Amino acid sequence: MSATSNFIDTYVAARQKSAASYRRASAVLGGNVGHDLRYFDPIPLYIERGLGGRKWDVDGNEYIDFLMGNGALLLGHAHPSVIDAIVSVASRGTHFGNDHLLQIEWAELIQKLVPSAERVRFVNSGTEASQLAIRLARAFTGRNKLLRFEGHFHGWHDEVVHGFQLPFQADGSRGVPPSVRDNLITIPDGNMALVETRLSQDPEIAAVILEPSGASYGRVPIDIEFLRQLRTVTTKRNVLLIFDEVVTGFRFSPGGAQGLYDITPDLSYFAKVVAGGLPGGAVVGQRDIMSLFDHTGKSEKDRFERVTHFGTFNASPLSAAAGIAVLGQVASGEPTSRADAMASQLRASLNEVLSRHQIAGYAYGPSSTFHVYFETNPERLKRVSDREDLKTSDARLLKGMPGALITQYQRLLRFHGVDIMSSTGGLLSAAHSETDLGEATVAFEKTITALLDEKLIYRL
Ligand code: PMP
């Protein structure tokens, strides 16, 4: 029996209730899980509770959590201020379908924190926010096409579901009409000349959309100068610039990536941290664009000259309460700088481990994120002898690590008590402690030692 199959037996033995839950789930849930990233071989996690930087599964296994509600929990699990806010609002009723004062307070906080947020419109998720921002851009410019970048994720809706995973030109899902591609131009990021060529060739482009962190919350690093040039060029050509701040919002700085880099997009959208760990999102932008939502008072015009937008749960009182609780604290700058400092310390510890074991790989990432790249390409392994020289911004390399390596890395980390967000990376919160980082580093060292034994990663 191989080392891997022995390990999987041990892994499953520590997860008997989880295994039983998976059998139940398989008889009732489409695809057996609730989100494609939660699917996991041999069994997904079934989490019972969380506190601060940790969570526990139904079998009592404890995890240092770098998934953090897919990045939504900047203050950590079950932060008392968020729980209190939710409980006090819930006791008055959970949902009215009417506007309410918490929505206004929530929007005012966003307006105060985010440089480009002259007006705010709430939605229920990052995917909805992305749909609505694209609709606004099209309505405002009277053009239909979108210039987007390979590897950048903008939610799961039809228009953008392809292009973020390798191979970037492949369909992202079955069931998407091929016609959506007619309105999309997908190119690698970082190449300003290519952006200019595409913009000049195609007068139908309404907007350029991107993750200002670089693709997949910074897994593929992006040059800030490229972001600045994008701002200049889109302004010059009268094309809108849309920042997808679903992850970066209120995390990279209290004003998101746009606050950190001092670049003001025309439109941007938020989810995750904005709603304090509850479902929610927001599209924000300049007043003239956002005025497309305005009612004219003339019923025919109202129907045909506006951007329409509905949504039963938009700015639900519970999400508003949680959002206000978190953004009120974000305003001080303390949660973002604490999470940043923890992540920087973690990246340094992981790099120390990788260097000590002479692994062909490195840890990196902006703000409160971390990612690990393992070099597995035989040609590059032959060529490169210094860890520094492994560093790359090539999305095909950074997103192209072998699936078997990623799965075993995630399994081993979980087995040693660490859960991450996706691929090899994750996000930190203001609640993570030095102890969490120390224990996570030990788990990481055990993980890479096993991966070396299994010849899934290599020494330089
Ligand atoms: N954009 C980015 C950059 C994201 O990371 C995500 C979610 N991971 C989304 C959009 C979609 O957000 P949601 O899952 O809330 O629909």
Side-chain angles (χ1 to χ4, degrees):
M1 216 191 273
S2 76
T4 306
S5 58
N6 269 338
F7 161 69
I8 290 178
D9 290 346
T10 322
Y11 183 95
V12 173
R15 285 164 181 77
Q16 287 303 299
K17 274 196 190 169
S18 303
S21 307
Y22 192 38
R23 284 193 291 276
R24 270 177 67 198
S26 306
V28 66
L29 294 178
N32 306 348
V33 290
H35 183 304
D36 280 357
L37 279 184
R38 295 180 205 163
Y39 173 77
F40 196 68
D41 184 32
I43 10 173
L45 286 189
Y46 294 96
I47 295 298
E48 211 160 51
R49 70 192 170 91
L51 187 66
R54 304 219 174 195
K55 64 189 179 190
W56 290 264
D57 72 15
V58 291
D59 291 288
N61 297 303
E62 180 172 334
Y63 303 90
I64 297 161
D65 190 16
F66 297 131
L67 170 59
M68 280 289 134
N70 293 42
L73 302 172
L74 183 63
L75 302 185
H77 289 284
H79 193 278
S81 68
V82 177
I83 304 300
D84 288 351
I86 296 169
V87 169
S88 78
V89 167
S91 64
R92 301 202 296 266
T94 54
H95 179 57
F96 311 111
N98 301 110
D99 269 5
H100 52 89
L101 297 188
L102 290 177
Q103 173 181 230
I104 305 173
E105 189 181 341
W106 193 15
E108 284 168 348
L109 269 168
I110 296 170
Q111 195 179 50
K112 199 172 92 191
L113 293 171
V114 178
S116 69
E118 291 180 0
R119 290 290 182 273
V120 178
R121 184 92 176 192
F122 289 107
V123 293
N124 295 295
S125 68
T127 296
E128 281 190 26
S130 157
Q131 278 182 309
L132 189 59
I134 293 169
R135 179 180 292 184
L136 276 168
R138 287 175 169 159
F140 188 73
T141 57
R143 303 173 219 140
N144 285 329
K145 290 192 184 172
L146 208 57
L147 182 66
R148 61 156 304 172
F149 297 107
E150 290 175 349
H152 291 238
F153 184 62
H154 302 301
W156 57 264
H157 65 93
D158 284 3
E159 303 248 8
V160 288
V161 70
H162 76 280
F164 73 95
Q165 279 173 323
L166 283 166
F168 296 129
Q169 298 309 322
D171 287 342
S173 172
R174 289 182 63 184
V176 177
S179 58
V180 297
R181 301 286 198 103
D182 299 346
N183 289 320
L184 274 166
I185 298 159
T186 309
I187 59 172
D189 70 29
N191 183 342
M192 213 45 226
L194 186 57
V195 172
E196 295 226 48
T197 308
R198 289 311 172 97
L199 290 180
S200 66
Q201 278 169 349
D202 202 330
E204 264 304 298
I205 297 174
V208 176
I209 188 170
L210 81 164
E211 285 185 73
S213 53
S216 293
Y217 62 101
R219 194 187 315 162
V220 185
I222 201 160
D223 186 357
I224 311 310
E225 199 41 44
F226 177 70
L227 293 179
R228 286 192 217 293
Q229 288 170 0
L230 268 185
R231 177 64 289 181
T232 310
V233 165
T234 47
T235 305
K236 196 174 79 194
R237 295 202 174 266
N238 224 4
V239 166
L240 299 186
L241 180 62
I242 307 177
F243 274 8
D244 178 330
E245 295 242 34
V246 168
V247 173
T248 53
F250 311 103
R251 175 179 284 282
F252 274 38
S253 85
Q258 57 194 280
L260 183 65
Y261 303 139
D262 194 22
I263 301 171
T264 307
D266 301 293
L267 284 169
S268 46
Y269 56 91
F270 298 79
K272 303 194 193 274
V273 177
V274 74
L278 266 69
V283 178
V284 315
Q286 294 169 0
R287 196 184 325 190
D288 53 347
I289 306 176
M290 300 296 280
S291 72
L292 283 164
F293 288 123
D294 289 353
H295 292 263
T296 62
K298 298 180 194 126
S299 63
E300 282 307 299
K301 276 201 166 171
D302 260 14
R303 277 222 302 277
F304 301 118
E305 292 184 6
R306 304 177 50 243
V307 164
T308 56
H309 174 230
F310 306 93
T312 299
F313 290 105
N314 293 346
S316 128
L318 297 189
S319 301
I324 291 166
V326 170
L327 299 190
Q329 293 171 68
V330 162
S332 73
E334 211 279 322
T336 35
S337 44
R338 159 97 190 161
D340 278 5
M342 288 287 112
S344 148
Q345 200 173 319
L346 180 65
R347 291 190 300 263
S349 307
L350 303 185
N351 273 322
E352 190 282 319
V353 170
L354 291 167
S355 151
R356 190 154 35 79
H357 289 267
Q358 295 168 329
I359 305 292
Y362 60 95
Y364 64 102
S367 181
S368 45
T369 72
F370 71 93
H371 303 270
V372 182
Y373 177 62
F374 294 109
E375 185 57 76
T376 56
N377 178 310
E379 285 307 306
R380 274 176 53 93
L381 275 170
K382 249 188 263 160
R383 252 194 347 257
V384 176
S385 55
D386 186 332
R387 284 176 63 242
E388 269 306 301
D389 297 336
L390 288 174
K391 293 198 173 152
T392 176
S393 307
D394 184 337
R396 284 178 168 73
L397 291 173
L398 295 166
K399 289 204 153 191
M401 284 181 275
L405 161 58
I406 304 293
T407 304
Q408 188 66 348
Y409 171 91
Q410 293 185 353
R411 242 185 231 142
L412 283 156
L413 274 180
R414 281 183 178 180
F415 187 66
H416 295 301
V418 175
D419 191 35
I420 59 170
M421 167 106 148
S422 56
S423 184
T424 56
L427 299 117
L428 279 84
S429 75
H432 284 104
S433 66
E434 304 266 341
T435 313
D436 294 335
L437 303 193
E439 289 179 23
T441 305
V442 171
F444 180 75
E445 183 155 14
K446 289 181 183 159
T447 297
I448 60 139
T449 312
L451 293 173
L452 261 181
D453 285 348
E454 294 174 31
K455 301 201 169 26
L456 286 166
I457 60 174
Y458 303 94
R459 288 209 163 91
L460 268 177

